[in-house]
Amino acid sequence: MTFPRILVTPLLIGATQAASLLIEAEQFADKGGWKVDTQFIESMGSPYLIAHGMGSPVADASTTVQVPEDGDYRIWVRTIDWSERLDRAGGAGRFTLSIDGQTLGETLGKAAPQWTWESVGTTPLKAGSRTLKLHDQSGFNGRVDAILLSNDPDFTPPGVGSLAERTKWSIDGVPTMADELGDFDLVVVGGGYGGLGSAISAARMGARVALIQNRKVLGGNGSSEVRVWAKGNFPPNQYPLADIVKEFTDSAKASPAPAEQFEDAKKTEIVRAEKNITLLLGHHAYGVEKEGDQIKSIKVLDIEGGRVSRISGKLFVDCTGHGFIGDWAGADKTMAEGGRMGMSNMWMWENTGQTVAFPEEDWMVPFKESDFPYPRRNHAEWFWESGYDRHPILELEQTRDWNLAVSYSAWNAIKNHGAHAKRDPHGHQQAKMTWLAYIGGTRETQQLLGDVILTGDEIVAKDEFPDACVRVTWSIDLHVPQEQYLKATPDRPFISRAIHGKGVDRNVGYPIPYRCFYSRNIPNLFMVGRNISVDRRALGTTRVMNTIGMMGVVVGRAAALATVHDCTPRDIYQKHLDEVKQLWLLPGKHRFESLDELRDSLQPSAAE
């Protein structure tokens, strides 16, 4: 199965309807305890606010809007009953909407098992400034995409498709076009370890770089939001590719671990220190514009600012993990039909020293403690994983929600029904869930295909390539459902086990060829991360973060050289391989102030 390709064309925003108004929830001025979720824009069309309270209602979100004229306004909220969609008793994420202190309609978030415009009725409103509030009632992940007000009796809420379609609605409040954000030598989409390695290394070679991340922190799975510690060794290598990665990699002692061990601020400081990097946090890339077979620019949404911008570039790096940029550009790709590795949402708890309650609700799975592994060291680890046979884009939100549902259900079993005396002298009465990742860590989506598709067999056989560079040291590690825990939810596995293959020496490693890092049919597209050109077995060893960071270093320096020569990533292999190897030999702190300085450093014969 594939998902729709988005080719961005100029925005066509028609005349506004003066008495209709769209309020995007993610643009609320005061978000209270609600969080911005950007993970599922490709499947449901928008960022949204989520009340992630782990069973305790979060603080209200509020904002002020200007009602254009007096009238009786019909009001809709775009929301979903997420537990009902999982075939659990409805209404896990309950909330209300109020205007100027008056609650409208009934409780929301307990109706349709799909994203829909839910009516909250009609109310008279005076023109002028009005205050909207979202009030969470459950703490169990109620969510709001947007709110619509209209005093036009013929107005009907629009159907919701892609974000590109949404920007064309003829309604006040729709994102508007901003100025061009610039023309860069390299545009990096995705702020995980691959994006960091790509952006920093290219910038230090003198390239002008845009780094786009659709959340407010960098690090991807290695951030405080997801809390997967960085794995992959730094074995002896002729190229010091690990230097830059060691600057920003985490100091986590466990996975998960407390937020501070993932050092979000350090990652941001390192990037901001690079004068050649324009960092765009909170910006979501949602499509590409092409000229011939090359990418010319991408459109990005400023998530909380509500503005759309265009970013142009000579070269692009897809560090999205999902392969979005390549997919939208028409890059050759492959995706397993089923049996993929899934998404993990880890969680933590602690004894607080005082009694803490946790609500038991009808939608929770009635687990016994034997239905899941007890969270050792007070945290639930990587193997809380699901989504193996779900579409990794179109059904990714359901996968995340199932992870939330089973985590809450397991905590209910431990806290309210567990064998307390054996594990906790307080009977878990003082135990509290302190963190549950609402942003999931995904392992496998699709692969963008390069001139080499590296296979697991080639890795085990230690085949040699002339463009060998990054060394992988993780075993061939593929995840499948853990049979022991299938009984409780046979149709929706949620605990995995890892099958570790042999053939990778963790002290020596196996070098990946550079040709896995660029598209074979989109001439100016690189890829870094779990979406590189490998088969499923090879993915099992290439997908860990320290390794991905080194991929980024390789690509960043290749991109700078390609800019100097005005050539493609493929040309770097075919015409300039010796030169790029010289750049890979440079220590991580080495820098050129500009591409002209880099050009001057090349041998005269090489620069011609």
Side-chain angles (χ1 to χ4, degrees):
M1 185 184 296
T2 187
F3 47 96
R5 184 183 307 167
I6 305 171
L7 291 177
V8 174
T9 55
L11 294 178
L12 301 173
I13 301 177
T16 60
Q17 299 178 21
S20 298
L21 180 64
L22 175 74
I23 303 102
E24 294 280 8
E26 65 272 12
Q27 295 171 23
F28 268 43
D30 180 359
K31 296 176 180 60
W34 295 65
K35 307 292 186 183
V36 177
D37 198 336
T38 60
Q39 298 170 93
F40 314 112
I41 296 172
E42 282 66 35
S43 62
M44 52 74 63
S46 175
Y48 60 79
L49 285 186
I50 186 168
H52 185 57
M54 296 174 287
S56 298
V58 305
D60 292 351
S62 63
T63 200
T64 300
V65 300
Q66 294 296 317
V67 174
E69 60 186 52
D70 294 354
D72 291 332
Y73 282 81
R74 292 183 296 160
I75 301 171
W76 297 265
V77 177
R78 188 170 187 245
T79 185
I80 185 175
D81 185 335
W82 69 266
S83 55
E84 185 69 30
R85 182 167 61 177
L86 299 175
D87 299 318
R88 306 303 306 168
R94 304 178 299 279
F95 66 95
T96 59
L97 171 68
S98 66
I99 298 182
D100 289 342
Q102 178 184 353
T103 299
L104 305 178
E106 299 180 352
T107 297
L108 298 163
K110 59 173 190 177
Q114 65 275 333
W115 281 97
T116 190
W117 292 106
E118 191 171 337
S119 174
V120 291
T122 302
T123 190
L125 294 175
K126 293 287 187 181
S129 179
R130 308 269 74 89
T131 298
L132 275 62
K133 282 191 177 181
L134 296 171
H135 176 69
D136 177 30
Q137 292 185 324
S138 71
F140 286 120
N141 300 90
R143 56 203 70 173
V144 180
D145 168 12
I147 300 162
L148 268 173
L149 286 70
S150 182
N151 65 358
D152 180 350
D154 298 321
F155 179 82
T156 300
V160 179
S162 69
L163 180 57
E165 293 168 334
R166 189 185 186 107
T167 60
K168 300 174 187 177
W169 293 350
S170 298
I171 307 171
D172 278 344
V174 167
T176 56
M177 189 68 189
D179 295 334
E180 303 281 334
L181 288 181
D183 191 354
F184 295 88
D185 300 314
L186 182 66
V187 178
V188 181
V189 184
Y193 272 49
L196 289 169
S198 300
I200 294 168
S201 62
R204 290 181 183 176
M205 294 294 98
R208 294 172 297 110
V209 180
L211 175 57
I212 302 162
Q213 168 73 330
N214 67 4
R215 304 202 292 275
K216 290 297 185 71
V217 300
L218 297 167
N221 286 348
S223 72
S224 64
E225 295 179 317
V226 187
R227 304 192 192 181
V228 179
W229 54 4
K231 288 296 182 181
N233 294 340
F234 301 122
N237 190 353
Q238 68 185 107
Y239 308 121
L241 304 174
D243 287 1
I244 289 176
V245 183
K246 289 177 180 177
E247 293 181 41
F248 61 74
T249 194
D250 65 59
S251 61
K253 303 299 188 294
S255 180
E260 60 270 15
Q261 293 185 20
F262 291 89
E263 302 177 287
D264 294 342
K266 178 179 77 172
K267 297 177 177 68
T268 304
E269 288 168 5
I270 290 170
V271 170
R272 292 197 186 282
E274 297 295 332
K275 67 176 184 178
N276 288 331
I277 298 179
T278 298
L279 177 60
L280 297 168
L281 293 175
H283 285 68
H284 183 79
Y286 68 90
V288 305
E289 191 171 55
K290 293 175 67 179
E291 192 171 84
D293 56 359
Q294 298 205 38
I295 301 172
K296 178 182 178 183
S297 64
I298 61 172
K299 286 285 182 67
V300 295
L301 171 69
D302 179 351
I303 290 166
E304 296 185 27
R307 300 278 279 173
V308 173
S309 302
R310 177 183 288 108
I311 300 176
S312 301
K314 297 180 179 67
L315 298 164
F316 295 79
V317 191
D318 189 330
C319 301
T320 64
H322 296 300
F324 286 145
I325 305 304
D327 188 81
W328 298 331
D332 290 343
K333 63 182 181 179
T334 186
M335 179 189 289
E337 288 299 318
R340 289 172 293 267
M341 292 181 283
M343 168 194 274
S344 290
N345 292 76
M346 301 185 292
W347 47 281
M348 303 174 70
W349 63 277
E350 65 181 32
N351 282 308
T352 64
Q354 58 187 3
T355 300
V356 181
F358 183 76
E360 181 172 10
E361 301 210 353
D362 290 343
W363 54 267
M364 293 177 179
V365 182
F367 284 143
K368 303 183 294 295
E369 280 194 305
S370 59
D371 292 331
F372 55 87
Y374 185 82
R376 299 175 297 121
R377 299 187 299 276
N378 293 15
H379 60 240
E381 301 178 51
W382 58 268
F383 46 77
W384 289 75
E385 175 183 355
S386 73
Y388 315 95
D389 292 315
R390 296 277 176 180
H391 192 281
I393 298 298
L394 302 180
E395 297 180 297
L396 192 62
E397 189 180 23
Q398 291 96 308
T399 294
R400 190 280 307 272
D401 289 347
W402 182 241
N403 286 348
L404 296 180
V406 296
S407 298
Y408 291 135
S409 300
W411 184 237
N412 175 58
I414 292 170
K415 184 163 176 64
N416 296 327
H417 303 284
H420 306 312
K422 295 180 181 178
R423 289 171 169 153
D424 186 342
H426 303 289
H428 288 105
Q429 293 179 8
Q430 299 180 355
K432 179 181 180 180
M433 180 183 280
T434 55
W435 176 78
L436 166 60
Y438 71 92
I439 294 175
T442 302
R443 291 179 177 83
E444 181 177 4
T445 304
Q446 62 184 351
Q447 311 309 126
L448 303 178
L449 302 181
D451 284 343
V452 170
I453 304 171
L454 184 65
T455 69
D457 290 342
E458 288 171 324
I459 291 174
V460 172
K462 298 179 173 52
D463 287 3
E464 296 184 3
F465 293 91
D467 51 339
C469 48
V470 178
R471 287 187 172 269
V472 299
T473 57
W474 199 247
S475 64
I476 294 177
D477 170 14
L478 299 173
H479 292 197
V480 297
Q482 171 65 274
E483 296 87 347
Q484 177 183 351
Y485 300 109
L486 289 176
K487 183 177 179 181
T489 58
D491 297 328
R492 288 182 181 268
F494 66 96
I495 299 294
S496 71
R497 65 181 177 91
I499 302 173
H500 286 273
K502 297 180 180 180
V504 179
D505 187 328
R506 295 197 176 202
N507 297 315
V508 177
Y510 173 83
I512 310 171
Y514 162 77
R515 284 168 291 169
C516 293
F517 302 148
Y518 62 83
S519 170
R520 69 188 187 187
N521 69 308
I522 304 298
N524 63 337
L525 177 65
F526 289 101
M527 53 271 193
V528 169
R530 58 184 175 83
N531 54 355
I532 65 169
S533 183
V534 294
D535 74 359
R536 289 202 70 239
R537 290 186 68 223
L539 176 65
T541 182
T542 59
R543 61 183 176 80
V544 292
M545 284 183 287
N546 284 335
T547 301
I548 288 171
M550 291 188 288
M551 296 179 196
V553 175
V554 162
V555 162
R557 291 184 174 179
L561 186 62
T563 305
V564 164
H565 288 299
D566 191 23
C567 71
T568 67
R570 176 180 284 121
D571 289 335
I572 293 297
Y573 171 74
Q574 293 181 342
K575 302 176 183 179
H576 305 288
L577 185 57
D578 288 341
E579 287 178 50
V580 80
K581 287 181 177 181
Q582 292 302 308
L583 295 187
W584 295 341
L585 283 169
L586 295 174
K589 293 290 187 181
H590 190 96
R591 66 175 67 243
F592 297 100
E593 292 303 315
S594 66
L595 289 175
D596 288 338
E597 186 178 336
L598 170 60
R599 181 182 292 108
D600 292 342
S601 75
L602 301 173
Q603 296 296 323
S605 61
E608 292 174 357

